[in-house]
Amino acid sequence: MSKTEFEFTDSVMYVKGVGPNRAKALEKLKIFTMYDLLTHYPRTYDDQRYITPISQARIDEQGVFIGTLYNINLRETSRLKILSATLSDSSGSIKVMWFNQEYLQKKLFTGTRIMIVGKVKFDTWNGCLAINQINSFAILEPGEKVTLGLKPVYPATATINQSVFRTAIQNLLEKMPPIKEILPAQILKKLNLMPLDTAMRQIHFPKDAATLGQARRRLAFDELFLIQCGLMLIKRQNTEQKLGITCKKNGALVKKVFESLPFTLTDDQLKTFKTVAQDMESSLPMRRLIQGDVGSGKTVVAMLALVKVVENGWQGALMAPTEILAVQHYNTFTQMLEKFGIRIGLLSAKVTRYKKTREENYSKIANHEFDIVIGTHALIQDAVQFAKLGLVITDEQHRFGVTQRANLGKKSEVVPDMIVMTATPIPRTMTLTVYGDLNVSLIKQMPPGRKPIKTSVKTVRSRKTVYEFVRSEILKGRQAYVVCPLIERSESERFNSVDPATEIYEMLSRGIFKDISCALIHGKINPLEKDEIMTRFHDGKIKLLVSTTVIEVGVDVPNATVMVIENAERFGLSQLHQLRGRVGRGSEKSYCILISDSKQGAAGARLDLMESTNNGFELAEEDLKLRGPGQFFGESQHGLPDLKIANVFRDIETLIEARNAAETFVTSESDLSYFAGLRKNLALAYGDKFNQINLA
Ligand code: ADP
Ligand code: MG
């Protein structure tokens, strides 16, 4: 099975040493094409640069040994078949042991010369040193020279081992014609980057450590540069090619709303709104990310921006990630803005599930009978046509993908202004990667009078004490949340230790909170009912709310001061922080109690961090380190390809270089045809994922 023409997109099956069966097994690692195999980069490298004389073998150290075998012997115990031999070179000899590989007996004879890479242990049975953790070994033909160096170690599967990978990739590299350079010569030269073809070959079989470093840097640069170019292109298209809307200076309506606010804005809020207003008054479309920790008061900034766009005769849209949050925003906005004649519409499941209300609202949006429309992702459905959409705000952006962000923007003939808001304080390097097309405003201050939330971790055994404390707070007039990871117990989880919301609710509402109004809320409850529960909780009629993560983002009930999280080990760090952010929103002292019996491992580490800091930025950084960017954002959410080789922590310098290179490159390059080629390379490199970003 061989082909004469070489195409990167050909099935990996045609690589010598792979074939149909192994190709099938490789699918598990998402390796389908030759290109996939080529970019299946080593996880690490085995240092096989030097031969260890046997006399210098040390316990627990790995060595590369070359010698001849004798004393070959097979011994069987009840569990194991142990093949042992003595290996000797000119400096001495050592025992070698293979476990359950008795078939080797047919290949190894007295006098066979082998090269073996393995770890040396003290063998208590024989009372001597032995090589018994064998990474790899090869039988050497008479006179055969061995190749030393850094040997790649690949992410492997049970069925495909390292030597298969090494051989297959070696064969692929031999067959592969030189890879065409994709980077412009001036960038290569300026940043002193290794040519692509060399880098691709050296990353697998590096000549030495320095060359390997160069190869890694080059390939990491490519990934980051391509992403940055994509982001720059989006930015450029948004700002240069199309005209945005231009607002006038703040007029009477903005001023009236501003003066009617029940509090004074913090300096950061004010500064952010001023920047936003400036963006809106310019003729370029606004593209701004507002980052502010939970509870820092982003909503009011969004509201003022929406009022401003309405004042200028346009419509505005606010997109929230959950039904509950959309309804909450709708209520707040109605309460604060309706008295000024601003017409506010809601587009969420509650409205869209009935044909009548749905079409009524669609037509009000299309006829400009609503000034501001608030909704969930129902807002980006094709049927929704705005008459004059001028501003789009996405709340809690980390829940939406880049694609969704782009989609809402398409709903208008002109390019509407755009703000995205997130409470996940993303480290700067990640901001550059994921939100590189946006300008960033930070709200660092909290509104005055907030007391830090006291967080503590408790075991299930102290549950009773915990809920007695909750009860005492409720009797003082406060309200409380209890959050559980699951709604109900599934068959398979019958015996497991997770206590679902339904059961906790039964336990609490029939037990210690029997005389207190409790409610249960979760994703399976219908929107109308959910709404009613939230309204009653908001109005203080419900004191204790047992819920799942449906309340995770954005919910704002300042009188709620206690948050109990059951099975806290089940939640991620950012999620815990978000949940905790539901309390500490008023001037009363607030508490967050994490119930968990898992104090070990990563879960324990998360809970400790929660106890030690209230700072979302620190937590996010830690979380990102613990989980890696892919999981941190969730692949489908950030909409960008997972990086195969670049690492946003280790490669910060390369990231900045890539960012700067893309910045000058994209703006100075007026010929868009280059990008068509670049895009092809992107698609080749990243598959469909990159196509989600609309470069066309
Ligand atoms: P988030 O940034 O998490 O979306 P919100 O916008 O929901 O935060 O605001 C949290 C709470 O703080 C709300 O109850 C809001 O009314 C209140 N708030 C916002 N800004 C101020 C301020 N400058 N002074 C006092 N309270 C404020
Ligand atoms: Mg919010």
PDB file of all heavy atoms in Angstrom, residues 356-384:
ATOM      1  N   LYS A 356     -47.691  32.977  20.037  1.00  0.00           N
ATOM      2  CA  LYS A 356     -48.300  34.298  20.053  1.00  0.00           C
ATOM      3  C   LYS A 356     -47.342  35.345  20.629  1.00  0.00           C
ATOM      4  O   LYS A 356     -47.015  36.332  19.971  1.00  0.00           O
ATOM      5  CB  LYS A 356     -49.585  34.254  20.879  1.00  0.00           C
ATOM      6  CG  LYS A 356     -50.340  35.560  20.897  1.00  0.00           C
ATOM      7  CD  LYS A 356     -51.780  35.376  21.349  1.00  0.00           C
ATOM      8  CE  LYS A 356     -52.475  36.705  21.521  1.00  0.00           C
ATOM      9  NZ  LYS A 356     -52.026  37.403  22.739  1.00  0.00           N
ATOM     10  N   THR A 357     -46.860  35.118  21.836  1.00  0.00           N
ATOM     11  CA  THR A 357     -45.957  36.097  22.460  1.00  0.00           C
ATOM     12  C   THR A 357     -44.656  36.211  21.682  1.00  0.00           C
ATOM     13  O   THR A 357     -44.063  37.283  21.585  1.00  0.00           O
ATOM     14  CB  THR A 357     -45.632  35.712  23.912  1.00  0.00           C
ATOM     15  OG1 THR A 357     -45.315  34.326  23.957  1.00  0.00           O
ATOM     16  CG2 THR A 357     -46.789  36.014  24.828  1.00  0.00           C
ATOM     17  N   ARG A 358     -44.246  35.080  21.119  1.00  0.00           N
ATOM     18  CA  ARG A 358     -42.997  35.102  20.370  1.00  0.00           C
ATOM     19  C   ARG A 358     -43.119  36.040  19.174  1.00  0.00           C
ATOM     20  O   ARG A 358     -42.323  36.962  18.996  1.00  0.00           O
ATOM     21  CB  ARG A 358     -42.659  33.680  19.900  1.00  0.00           C
ATOM     22  CG  ARG A 358     -41.336  33.577  19.168  1.00  0.00           C
ATOM     23  CD  ARG A 358     -41.007  32.141  18.831  1.00  0.00           C
ATOM     24  NE  ARG A 358     -41.968  31.562  17.903  1.00  0.00           N
ATOM     25  CZ  ARG A 358     -42.505  30.361  18.045  1.00  0.00           C
ATOM     26  NH1 ARG A 358     -42.196  29.611  19.076  1.00  0.00           N
ATOM     27  NH2 ARG A 358     -43.372  29.909  17.158  1.00  0.00           N
ATOM     28  N   GLU A 359     -44.181  35.822  18.398  1.00  0.00           N
ATOM     29  CA  GLU A 359     -44.304  36.629  17.178  1.00  0.00           C
ATOM     30  C   GLU A 359     -44.603  38.084  17.487  1.00  0.00           C
ATOM     31  O   GLU A 359     -44.160  38.981  16.779  1.00  0.00           O
ATOM     32  CB  GLU A 359     -45.351  35.998  16.268  1.00  0.00           C
ATOM     33  CG  GLU A 359     -44.878  34.596  15.964  1.00  0.00           C
ATOM     34  CD  GLU A 359     -45.427  34.000  14.697  1.00  0.00           C
ATOM     35  OE1 GLU A 359     -46.596  34.290  14.375  1.00  0.00           O
ATOM     36  OE2 GLU A 359     -44.665  33.255  14.053  1.00  0.00           O
ATOM     37  N   GLU A 360     -45.331  38.263  18.553  1.00  0.00           N
ATOM     38  CA  GLU A 360     -45.609  39.626  18.992  1.00  0.00           C
ATOM     39  C   GLU A 360     -44.294  40.357  19.279  1.00  0.00           C
ATOM     40  O   GLU A 360     -44.066  41.470  18.810  1.00  0.00           O
ATOM     41  CB  GLU A 360     -46.418  39.537  20.285  1.00  0.00           C
ATOM     42  CG  GLU A 360     -47.462  40.601  20.473  1.00  0.00           C
ATOM     43  CD  GLU A 360     -48.278  40.246  21.707  1.00  0.00           C
ATOM     44  OE1 GLU A 360     -49.282  39.536  21.548  1.00  0.00           O
ATOM     45  OE2 GLU A 360     -47.868  40.640  22.818  1.00  0.00           O
ATOM     46  N   ASN A 361     -43.406  39.676  20.022  1.00  0.00           N
ATOM     47  CA  ASN A 361     -42.131  40.302  20.360  1.00  0.00           C
ATOM     48  C   ASN A 361     -41.223  40.469  19.155  1.00  0.00           C
ATOM     49  O   ASN A 361     -40.563  41.499  19.005  1.00  0.00           O
ATOM     50  CB  ASN A 361     -41.417  39.502  21.458  1.00  0.00           C
ATOM     51  CG  ASN A 361     -41.925  39.893  22.831  1.00  0.00           C
ATOM     52  OD1 ASN A 361     -42.945  40.575  22.951  1.00  0.00           O
ATOM     53  ND2 ASN A 361     -41.234  39.470  23.871  1.00  0.00           N
ATOM     54  N   TYR A 362     -41.212  39.461  18.279  1.00  0.00           N
ATOM     55  CA  TYR A 362     -40.416  39.592  17.057  1.00  0.00           C
ATOM     56  C   TYR A 362     -40.853  40.834  16.289  1.00  0.00           C
ATOM     57  O   TYR A 362     -40.031  41.587  15.785  1.00  0.00           O
ATOM     58  CB  TYR A 362     -40.602  38.371  16.149  1.00  0.00           C
ATOM     59  CG  TYR A 362     -39.832  37.140  16.579  1.00  0.00           C
ATOM     60  CD1 TYR A 362     -39.942  35.958  15.861  1.00  0.00           C
ATOM     61  CD2 TYR A 362     -38.996  37.168  17.688  1.00  0.00           C
ATOM     62  CE1 TYR A 362     -39.238  34.820  16.236  1.00  0.00           C
ATOM     63  CE2 TYR A 362     -38.300  36.033  18.077  1.00  0.00           C
ATOM     64  CZ  TYR A 362     -38.432  34.856  17.353  1.00  0.00           C
ATOM     65  OH  TYR A 362     -37.753  33.734  17.717  1.00  0.00           O
ATOM     66  N   SER A 363     -42.152  41.030  16.200  1.00  0.00           N
ATOM     67  CA  SER A 363     -42.617  42.153  15.383  1.00  0.00           C
ATOM     68  C   SER A 363     -42.335  43.492  16.076  1.00  0.00           C
ATOM     69  O   SER A 363     -42.029  44.482  15.427  1.00  0.00           O
ATOM     70  CB  SER A 363     -44.087  41.972  15.006  1.00  0.00           C
ATOM     71  OG  SER A 363     -44.909  42.750  15.831  1.00  0.00           O
ATOM     72  N   LYS A 364     -42.381  43.486  17.394  1.00  0.00           N
ATOM     73  CA  LYS A 364     -42.022  44.730  18.096  1.00  0.00           C
ATOM     74  C   LYS A 364     -40.538  45.064  17.931  1.00  0.00           C
ATOM     75  O   LYS A 364     -40.154  46.231  17.900  1.00  0.00           O
ATOM     76  CB  LYS A 364     -42.359  44.623  19.582  1.00  0.00           C
ATOM     77  CG  LYS A 364     -43.838  44.788  19.861  1.00  0.00           C
ATOM     78  CD  LYS A 364     -44.090  44.848  21.342  1.00  0.00           C
ATOM     79  CE  LYS A 364     -45.544  45.207  21.613  1.00  0.00           C
ATOM     80  NZ  LYS A 364     -45.858  45.123  23.044  1.00  0.00           N
ATOM     81  N   ILE A 365     -39.718  44.019  17.838  1.00  0.00           N
ATOM     82  CA  ILE A 365     -38.289  44.250  17.612  1.00  0.00           C
ATOM     83  C   ILE A 365     -38.081  44.781  16.196  1.00  0.00           C
ATOM     84  O   ILE A 365     -37.357  45.747  15.961  1.00  0.00           O
ATOM     85  CB  ILE A 365     -37.479  42.943  17.817  1.00  0.00           C
ATOM     86  CG1 ILE A 365     -37.550  42.502  19.281  1.00  0.00           C
ATOM     87  CG2 ILE A 365     -36.032  43.135  17.393  1.00  0.00           C
ATOM     88  CD1 ILE A 365     -36.974  41.127  19.557  1.00  0.00           C
ATOM     89  N   ALA A 366     -38.805  44.164  15.249  1.00  0.00           N
ATOM     90  CA  ALA A 366     -38.648  44.547  13.847  1.00  0.00           C
ATOM     91  C   ALA A 366     -39.223  45.930  13.563  1.00  0.00           C
ATOM     92  O   ALA A 366     -38.788  46.623  12.641  1.00  0.00           O
ATOM     93  CB  ALA A 366     -39.316  43.504  12.958  1.00  0.00           C
ATOM     94  N   ASN A 367     -40.219  46.348  14.355  1.00  0.00           N
ATOM     95  CA  ASN A 367     -40.851  47.644  14.113  1.00  0.00           C
ATOM     96  C   ASN A 367     -40.348  48.755  15.026  1.00  0.00           C
ATOM     97  O   ASN A 367     -40.945  49.819  15.113  1.00  0.00           O
ATOM     98  CB  ASN A 367     -42.361  47.518  14.271  1.00  0.00           C
ATOM     99  CG  ASN A 367     -42.941  46.611  13.210  1.00  0.00           C
ATOM    100  OD1 ASN A 367     -42.452  46.591  12.083  1.00  0.00           O
ATOM    101  ND2 ASN A 367     -43.957  45.846  13.580  1.00  0.00           N
ATOM    102  N   HIS A 368     -39.279  48.463  15.708  1.00  0.00           N
ATOM    103  CA  HIS A 368     -38.691  49.432  16.634  1.00  0.00           C
ATOM    104  C   HIS A 368     -39.698  49.906  17.691  1.00  0.00           C
ATOM    105  O   HIS A 368     -39.755  51.084  18.025  1.00  0.00           O
ATOM    106  CB  HIS A 368     -38.119  50.648  15.872  1.00  0.00           C
ATOM    107  CG  HIS A 368     -37.032  51.353  16.655  1.00  0.00           C
ATOM    108  ND1 HIS A 368     -36.077  52.124  16.061  1.00  0.00           N
ATOM    109  CD2 HIS A 368     -36.757  51.404  17.983  1.00  0.00           C
ATOM    110  CE1 HIS A 368     -35.254  52.632  16.972  1.00  0.00           C
ATOM    111  NE2 HIS A 368     -35.657  52.195  18.149  1.00  0.00           N
ATOM    112  N   GLU A 369     -40.491  48.952  18.171  1.00  0.00           N
ATOM    113  CA  GLU A 369     -41.369  49.287  19.291  1.00  0.00           C
ATOM    114  C   GLU A 369     -40.706  48.937  20.619  1.00  0.00           C
ATOM    115  O   GLU A 369     -41.213  49.270  21.684  1.00  0.00           O
ATOM    116  CB  GLU A 369     -42.706  48.554  19.148  1.00  0.00           C
ATOM    117  CG  GLU A 369     -43.566  49.143  18.025  1.00  0.00           C
ATOM    118  CD  GLU A 369     -44.715  48.231  17.654  1.00  0.00           C
ATOM    119  OE1 GLU A 369     -45.354  47.696  18.578  1.00  0.00           O
ATOM    120  OE2 GLU A 369     -44.956  48.049  16.452  1.00  0.00           O
ATOM    121  N   PHE A 370     -39.575  48.225  20.537  1.00  0.00           N
ATOM    122  CA  PHE A 370     -38.718  48.032  21.710  1.00  0.00           C
ATOM    123  C   PHE A 370     -37.434  48.814  21.488  1.00  0.00           C
ATOM    124  O   PHE A 370     -36.872  48.797  20.398  1.00  0.00           O
ATOM    125  CB  PHE A 370     -38.331  46.554  21.887  1.00  0.00           C
ATOM    126  CG  PHE A 370     -39.411  45.683  22.456  1.00  0.00           C
ATOM    127  CD1 PHE A 370     -39.592  44.395  21.962  1.00  0.00           C
ATOM    128  CD2 PHE A 370     -40.220  46.123  23.514  1.00  0.00           C
ATOM    129  CE1 PHE A 370     -40.565  43.571  22.487  1.00  0.00           C
ATOM    130  CE2 PHE A 370     -41.197  45.294  24.041  1.00  0.00           C
ATOM    131  CZ  PHE A 370     -41.375  44.020  23.526  1.00  0.00           C
ATOM    132  N   ASP A 371     -36.965  49.487  22.539  1.00  0.00           N
ATOM    133  CA  ASP A 371     -35.673  50.171  22.436  1.00  0.00           C
ATOM    134  C   ASP A 371     -34.537  49.261  22.875  1.00  0.00           C
ATOM    135  O   ASP A 371     -33.459  49.258  22.310  1.00  0.00           O
ATOM    136  CB  ASP A 371     -35.683  51.423  23.313  1.00  0.00           C
ATOM    137  CG  ASP A 371     -36.773  52.388  22.887  1.00  0.00           C
ATOM    138  OD1 ASP A 371     -36.786  52.747  21.700  1.00  0.00           O
ATOM    139  OD2 ASP A 371     -37.619  52.744  23.739  1.00  0.00           O
ATOM    140  N   ILE A 372     -34.825  48.512  23.941  1.00  0.00           N
ATOM    141  CA  ILE A 372     -33.808  47.595  24.466  1.00  0.00           C
ATOM    142  C   ILE A 372     -34.418  46.205  24.535  1.00  0.00           C
ATOM    143  O   ILE A 372     -35.530  46.044  25.036  1.00  0.00           O
ATOM    144  CB  ILE A 372     -33.348  48.027  25.875  1.00  0.00           C
ATOM    145  CG1 ILE A 372     -32.646  49.391  25.818  1.00  0.00           C
ATOM    146  CG2 ILE A 372     -32.417  46.978  26.488  1.00  0.00           C
ATOM    147  CD1 ILE A 372     -32.275  49.962  27.184  1.00  0.00           C
ATOM    148  N   VAL A 373     -33.720  45.226  24.007  1.00  0.00           N
ATOM    149  CA  VAL A 373     -34.208  43.856  24.085  1.00  0.00           C
ATOM    150  C   VAL A 373     -33.211  43.025  24.886  1.00  0.00           C
ATOM    151  O   VAL A 373     -32.004  43.067  24.641  1.00  0.00           O
ATOM    152  CB  VAL A 373     -34.381  43.228  22.692  1.00  0.00           C
ATOM    153  CG1 VAL A 373     -35.031  41.859  22.811  1.00  0.00           C
ATOM    154  CG2 VAL A 373     -35.216  44.140  21.806  1.00  0.00           C
ATOM    155  N   ILE A 374     -33.746  42.323  25.874  1.00  0.00           N
ATOM    156  CA  ILE A 374     -32.899  41.503  26.726  1.00  0.00           C
ATOM    157  C   ILE A 374     -33.277  40.053  26.506  1.00  0.00           C
ATOM    158  O   ILE A 374     -34.463  39.731  26.388  1.00  0.00           O
ATOM    159  CB  ILE A 374     -33.101  41.897  28.197  1.00  0.00           C
ATOM    160  CG1 ILE A 374     -32.648  43.356  28.373  1.00  0.00           C
ATOM    161  CG2 ILE A 374     -32.325  40.973  29.139  1.00  0.00           C
ATOM    162  CD1 ILE A 374     -32.989  43.955  29.695  1.00  0.00           C
ATOM    163  N   GLY A 375     -32.306  39.183  26.402  1.00  0.00           N
ATOM    164  CA  GLY A 375     -32.661  37.796  26.161  1.00  0.00           C
ATOM    165  C   GLY A 375     -31.516  36.831  26.339  1.00  0.00           C
ATOM    166  O   GLY A 375     -30.401  37.223  26.661  1.00  0.00           O
ATOM    167  N   THR A 376     -31.860  35.560  26.137  1.00  0.00           N
ATOM    168  CA  THR A 376     -30.835  34.515  26.145  1.00  0.00           C
ATOM    169  C   THR A 376     -30.357  34.348  24.715  1.00  0.00           C
ATOM    170  O   THR A 376     -30.559  35.240  23.890  1.00  0.00           O
ATOM    171  CB  THR A 376     -31.441  33.180  26.627  1.00  0.00           C
ATOM    172  OG1 THR A 376     -32.582  32.898  25.812  1.00  0.00           O
ATOM    173  CG2 THR A 376     -31.864  33.268  28.067  1.00  0.00           C
ATOM    174  N   HIS A 377     -29.796  33.195  24.393  1.00  0.00           N
ATOM    175  CA  HIS A 377     -29.336  32.990  23.020  1.00  0.00           C
ATOM    176  C   HIS A 377     -30.503  32.995  22.027  1.00  0.00           C
ATOM    177  O   HIS A 377     -30.292  32.982  20.828  1.00  0.00           O
ATOM    178  CB  HIS A 377     -28.509  31.714  22.907  1.00  0.00           C
ATOM    179  CG  HIS A 377     -29.209  30.520  23.441  1.00  0.00           C
ATOM    180  ND1 HIS A 377     -29.085  30.118  24.754  1.00  0.00           N
ATOM    181  CD2 HIS A 377     -30.074  29.682  22.874  1.00  0.00           C
ATOM    182  CE1 HIS A 377     -29.855  29.071  24.960  1.00  0.00           C
ATOM    183  NE2 HIS A 377     -30.466  28.783  23.829  1.00  0.00           N
ATOM    184  N   ALA A 378     -31.729  33.037  22.546  1.00  0.00           N
ATOM    185  CA  ALA A 378     -32.895  33.209  21.668  1.00  0.00           C
ATOM    186  C   ALA A 378     -32.731  34.473  20.824  1.00  0.00           C
ATOM    187  O   ALA A 378     -33.289  34.585  19.734  1.00  0.00           O
ATOM    188  CB  ALA A 378     -34.168  33.299  22.501  1.00  0.00           C
ATOM    189  N   LEU A 379     -31.946  35.412  21.315  1.00  0.00           N
ATOM    190  CA  LEU A 379     -31.700  36.667  20.597  1.00  0.00           C
ATOM    191  C   LEU A 379     -30.976  36.471  19.273  1.00  0.00           C
ATOM    192  O   LEU A 379     -31.090  37.293  18.370  1.00  0.00           O
ATOM    193  CB  LEU A 379     -30.824  37.574  21.465  1.00  0.00           C
ATOM    194  CG  LEU A 379     -31.494  38.590  22.376  1.00  0.00           C
ATOM    195  CD1 LEU A 379     -30.426  39.361  23.132  1.00  0.00           C
ATOM    196  CD2 LEU A 379     -32.321  39.563  21.553  1.00  0.00           C
ATOM    197  N   ILE A 380     -30.182  35.415  19.167  1.00  0.00           N
ATOM    198  CA  ILE A 380     -29.405  35.270  17.936  1.00  0.00           C
ATOM    199  C   ILE A 380     -30.063  34.326  16.938  1.00  0.00           C
ATOM    200  O   ILE A 380     -29.458  33.912  15.974  1.00  0.00           O
ATOM    201  CB  ILE A 380     -27.942  34.831  18.192  1.00  0.00           C
ATOM    202  CG1 ILE A 380     -27.898  33.561  19.020  1.00  0.00           C
ATOM    203  CG2 ILE A 380     -27.145  35.930  18.860  1.00  0.00           C
ATOM    204  CD1 ILE A 380     -26.492  32.982  19.133  1.00  0.00           C
ATOM    205  N   GLN A 381     -31.304  33.960  17.207  1.00  0.00           N
ATOM    206  CA  GLN A 381     -32.011  33.148  16.224  1.00  0.00           C
ATOM    207  C   GLN A 381     -32.242  33.957  14.947  1.00  0.00           C
ATOM    208  O   GLN A 381     -32.385  35.179  14.986  1.00  0.00           O
ATOM    209  CB  GLN A 381     -33.374  32.727  16.793  1.00  0.00           C
ATOM    210  CG  GLN A 381     -33.497  31.238  16.978  1.00  0.00           C
ATOM    211  CD  GLN A 381     -32.893  30.780  18.300  1.00  0.00           C
ATOM    212  OE1 GLN A 381     -33.586  30.707  19.285  1.00  0.00           O
ATOM    213  NE2 GLN A 381     -31.602  30.481  18.310  1.00  0.00           N
ATOM    214  N   ASP A 382     -32.272  33.236  13.815  1.00  0.00           N
ATOM    215  CA  ASP A 382     -32.404  33.923  12.529  1.00  0.00           C
ATOM    216  C   ASP A 382     -33.680  34.742  12.395  1.00  0.00           C
ATOM    217  O   ASP A 382     -33.709  35.768  11.730  1.00  0.00           O
ATOM    218  CB  ASP A 382     -32.347  32.911  11.384  1.00  0.00           C
ATOM    219  CG  ASP A 382     -30.900  32.595  11.019  1.00  0.00           C
ATOM    220  OD1 ASP A 382     -30.031  33.404  11.417  1.00  0.00           O
ATOM    221  OD2 ASP A 382     -30.665  31.579  10.370  1.00  0.00           O
ATOM    222  N   ALA A 383     -34.740  34.276  13.043  1.00  0.00           N
ATOM    223  CA  ALA A 383     -36.024  34.955  12.902  1.00  0.00           C
ATOM    224  C   ALA A 383     -36.032  36.354  13.537  1.00  0.00           C
ATOM    225  O   ALA A 383     -36.889  37.171  13.251  1.00  0.00           O
ATOM    226  CB  ALA A 383     -37.115  34.104  13.524  1.00  0.00           C
ATOM    227  N   VAL A 384     -35.051  36.608  14.393  1.00  0.00           N
ATOM    228  CA  VAL A 384     -35.037  37.902  15.075  1.00  0.00           C
ATOM    229  C   VAL A 384     -34.403  38.967  14.183  1.00  0.00           C
ATOM    230  O   VAL A 384     -33.233  38.903  13.854  1.00  0.00           O
ATOM    231  CB  VAL A 384     -34.254  37.810  16.407  1.00  0.00           C
ATOM    232  CG1 VAL A 384     -34.380  39.099  17.186  1.00  0.00           C
ATOM    233  CG2 VAL A 384     -34.746  36.630  17.226  1.00  0.00           C
TER     234      VAL A 384
END
